[in-house]
Amino acid sequence: MIYLAVATRTFRRYSTYRGATLAGAFTNSVFGVIYSFAYLALWEQRPDAGGYDAVDAVTFVWLGQALLMTVALWGGGTTDDLAERIRTGDIAVDLYRPVNLVGWYLAGDLGRAAYHLATRGLAPTLVGLALFDIAMPDSLANALAFALSIPLAVTVSFALRFLTSCTAFWLLDASGPRVLSGTLAIFFSGLMLPLVLFPGWLGELAHALPWAAMVQVPNDLWLGQGRSPLGALAFQAGWAAVLLGCCAVTLQAATRKVVVQGG
Amino acid sequence: MAEQIAGRAAPLTDPVRHYLDIAGLWVRAAWVYPASFLMLIVGSMVISGLDFVGLWIMFSTIDTLGGFGLAEIALLYGASGIGIGVADTLIGSVERIGVYVRTGRLDQMLTKPVPLLVQVCADQFTLRRLGRITQASVVFAWAAAYVDWTPSRVAVAVLMAISSTVIFFGLFVGFSCIQFWTTDSAEFANAFTYGGNTITQYPMTIFPRELTVSLTFVLPIAFVNWYPCLYLLGRDDPFGLPGWLQFCSPVAAAVTLGAALLAWRTGVRHYTSTGS
């Protein structure tokens, strides 16, 4: 199947940058240590803040560092290639291909995510396990739900990044929107601070937005907190479907523009 | 554009003027697309704003962190943010040294009659960090209202601003030099630059004593703001370390800068062109 072939080749492509992987895993671990001590100090003051205990909070930090690159919160991944190909006009070649363009790039991004999960997800987690008390999932069902939620988290993130890159069709340069989109993702995904600490309406809003599907929802599944496993997965799948639909519509509108410009 | 710079800058001798020349060109280049330029500045403000909202949410649930109140932590946060903001604006481009090595642009730069470090640091100069610096300054100014100012505290604060910038300058340059050996490990430096910024946003009391001692005597990141701020706040060292450390930030900055420049020289000497 073509999408599987795209995914495995993207996996291999990313695996050639060994120095970058090692440097990144090191950096994730350093930030994990810093945030762990910060959260431990916070939960020492308020031992039940947000319904988490101190062990949950530290677990949240390390899960977040493991998901940071896997989900590509800051941006990056195959959607960066897309933005560059729109800018240079190579996108015309992509549009000739007898495959669904969104599917093609999504398959590649899932391949990339698999590589980043196996390296930059696993390595900092081992560091966290060695240095701190980390909570494990209570039940097999929670662990399974967490495993299922990762590809869904990547898909939601991919769709938002795809839409961001598509702004290049109109702006030619997507670097401004990319920075903005990455910042919103860091803030509203729970990576900066667990969404359970967000007060009042801001908390409710943050829990309902698609960014919650990237870090907060998978982490809660691991910790056995928040929504029921099925509700959580449905929340992610719902946003994934809506956003992928937006990608298809946007691409259609953009394609018309490319044809008018002649590439 | 690079050729133009070399042609114009040749009669000059002062590296600072070279730097301003190149940086000015990049600012003018950014102005060619004023809409995009303004979007980047506004975007940077929004980013800094969200960063502050995060801090505010954290302190809406607690009163003190590691024995320090919000105003005291705001002082640490502001001082560190100004330091890294100014350093990142002035020389943040050095992070891309690996790309220059890989693409062979470093060869071009070596042929120009301007010091290599000046060229690398001024390349792609951007004012997008202005938002960060503004936000950190506002937070610092708010926190400063709670400080009991004396002439000696003003002096320590001024020295802190200069020293923290120089320390971050050293961290950016020093750890970017690793890219002379492994060109794809740019992210390694982030652990020390942005990691150093993150760690100094918190009082050292939330970390184990061994870590604080390491950040004092091995990698002098604690001198960015921790020791001078203890003096501004009139606090004794919570770890029982000697009080004179509170005046040592300029020394730490000089040592960091010296080590970074040494690493840079070693890196440039080690550099052999990719040949492509």
Side-chain angles (χ1 to χ4, degrees), chain A residues 7 10-25 28 62-78 80 108-125 150 154 157 161, chain B residues 187:
Chain A
T10 318
F11 183 101
R12 275 191 224 150
R13 191 183 122 204
Y14 275 86
S15 66
T16 53
Y17 305 108
R18 297 224 181 84
T21 305
L22 204 66
N28 286 140
W62 290 96
L63 289 173
Q65 290 300 320
L67 288 175
L68 176 60
M69 273 306 281
T70 307
V71 176
L73 277 180
W74 270 125
T78 57
D80 271 13
D109 207 55
L110 286 169
R112 173 207 60 76
Y115 172 72
H116 279 146
L117 182 68
T119 53
R120 297 196 50 177
L122 195 62
T125 308
I150 293 179
V154 176
S157 156
R161 285 181 282 121
Chain B
E187 231 190 306

Side-chain angles (χ1 to χ4, degrees), chain A residues 20 27 31 42 45-46 120 183, chain B residues 47 58 61 64 184 187 198:
Chain A
T27 305
F31 275 92
L42 196 156
Q45 293 288 309
R46 281 260 327 264
R120 297 196 50 177
T183 309
Chain B
I47 291 165
M58 202 160 169
T61 61
T64 61
D184 62 350
E187 231 190 306
T198 307

Side-chain angles (χ1 to χ4, degrees), chain A residues 29-102:
Chain A
S29 303
V30 168
F31 275 92
V33 169
I34 298 174
Y35 286 126
S36 292
F37 281 117
Y39 286 14
L40 282 173
L42 196 156
W43 263 267
E44 195 185 337
Q45 293 288 309
R46 281 260 327 264
D48 62 339
Y52 290 177
D53 61 23
V55 175
D56 289 341
V58 171
T59 306
F60 193 100
V61 168
W62 290 96
L63 289 173
Q65 290 300 320
L67 288 175
L68 176 60
M69 273 306 281
T70 307
V71 176
L73 277 180
W74 270 125
T78 57
T79 48
D80 271 13
D81 306 340
L82 175 72
E84 183 60 15
R85 289 177 74 82
I86 295 171
R87 199 182 64 78
T88 57
D90 289 342
I91 186 72
V93 180
D94 290 348
L95 290 168
Y96 273 125
R97 291 201 180 107
V99 284
N100 181 304
L101 194 82
V102 179

Side-chain angles (χ1 to χ4, degrees), chain A:
Chain A
M1 183 180 156
I2 184 152
Y3 294 114
L4 197 66
V6 171
T8 50
R9 273 160 188 75
T10 318
F11 183 101
R12 275 191 224 150
R13 191 183 122 204
Y14 275 86
S15 66
T16 53
Y17 305 108
R18 297 224 181 84
T21 305
L22 204 66
F26 173 78
T27 305
N28 286 140
S29 303
V30 168
F31 275 92
V33 169
I34 298 174
Y35 286 126
S36 292
F37 281 117
Y39 286 14
L40 282 173
L42 196 156
W43 263 267
E44 195 185 337
Q45 293 288 309
R46 281 260 327 264
D48 62 339
Y52 290 177
D53 61 23
V55 175
D56 289 341
V58 171
T59 306
F60 193 100
V61 168
W62 290 96
L63 289 173
Q65 290 300 320
L67 288 175
L68 176 60
M69 273 306 281
T70 307
V71 176
L73 277 180
W74 270 125
T78 57
T79 48
D80 271 13
D81 306 340
L82 175 72
E84 183 60 15
R85 289 177 74 82
I86 295 171
R87 199 182 64 78
T88 57
D90 289 342
I91 186 72
V93 180
D94 290 348
L95 290 168
Y96 273 125
R97 291 201 180 107
V99 284
N100 181 304
L101 194 82
V102 179
W104 171 278
Y105 278 94
L106 176 60
D109 207 55
L110 286 169
R112 173 207 60 76
Y115 172 72
H116 279 146
L117 182 68
T119 53
R120 297 196 50 177
L122 195 62
T125 308
L126 294 177
V127 174
L129 271 171
L131 296 178
F132 294 93
D133 246 354
I134 303 281
M136 286 293 150
D138 285 337
S139 62
L140 194 65
N142 282 356
L144 200 68
F146 174 78
L148 286 174
S149 77
I150 293 179
L152 286 171
V154 176
T155 307
V156 171
S157 156
F158 165 82
L160 284 171
R161 285 181 282 121
F162 189 95
L163 289 171
T164 307
S165 291
C166 277
T167 58
F169 278 116
W170 290 273
L171 301 177
L172 294 181
D173 180 51
S175 57
R178 184 179 183 274
V179 169
L180 204 62
S181 147
T183 309
L184 288 172
I186 295 286
F187 186 76
F188 283 113
S189 65
L191 188 90
M192 196 167 162
L193 205 61
L195 300 185
V196 290
L197 291 182
F198 283 32
W201 63 269
L202 189 62
E204 280 168 37
L205 179 72
H207 275 290
L209 291 172
W211 291 286
M214 297 183 193
V215 174
Q216 183 70 42
V217 169
N219 285 10
D220 273 344
L221 284 170
W222 177 284
L223 296 170
Q225 295 263 4
R227 297 180 174 90
S228 71
L230 277 180
L233 293 174
F235 171 78
Q236 287 182 305
W239 269 120
V242 168
L243 290 169
L244 284 176
C246 293
C247 290
V249 171
T250 308
L251 192 66
Q252 215 165 30
T255 309
R256 221 169 290 132
K257 188 178 154 65
V258 170
V259 173
V260 170
Q261 280 191 335

